[in-house]
Amino acid sequence: MDTAKFITYFKNKISKEIDNIKDAFEQGRIPKENFDLTVGELKGLRTAKDLLQESAKYIENDDN
């Protein structure tokens, strides 16, 4: 799998997980005792997605 396809695949997977967590919050499926853990996970996923997007820019620049 080339790098661009991997980045796209991974970014989509992270986005889907972020959306799933958001939906769970909206639907009240996250118990109060798991709230802090889930918020931390959501922040981590957003950070990973941001880093991935930033890395993709550098990889594109290197390819050009």
Side-chain angles (χ1 to χ4, degrees), residues 11-63:
K11 187 178 76 158
N12 290 339
K13 196 155 181 71
I14 290 172
S15 293
K16 185 176 179 182
E17 190 62 30
I18 288 170
D19 290 341
N20 288 342
I21 292 172
K22 286 180 184 177
D23 290 344
F25 272 127
E26 290 172 4
Q27 296 170 4
R29 292 183 289 145
I30 296 177
K32 290 188 184 269
E33 58 271 5
N34 291 345
F35 182 80
D36 289 338
L37 178 66
T38 306
V39 169
E41 181 181 356
L42 187 60
K43 287 179 184 177
L45 287 169
R46 286 184 178 147
T47 301
K49 184 179 175 187
D50 291 344
L51 289 171
L52 191 61
Q53 286 175 328
E54 195 66 27
S55 297
K57 289 179 194 175
Y58 290 117
I59 290 169
E60 264 183 38
N61 290 340
D62 287 346
D63 286 347

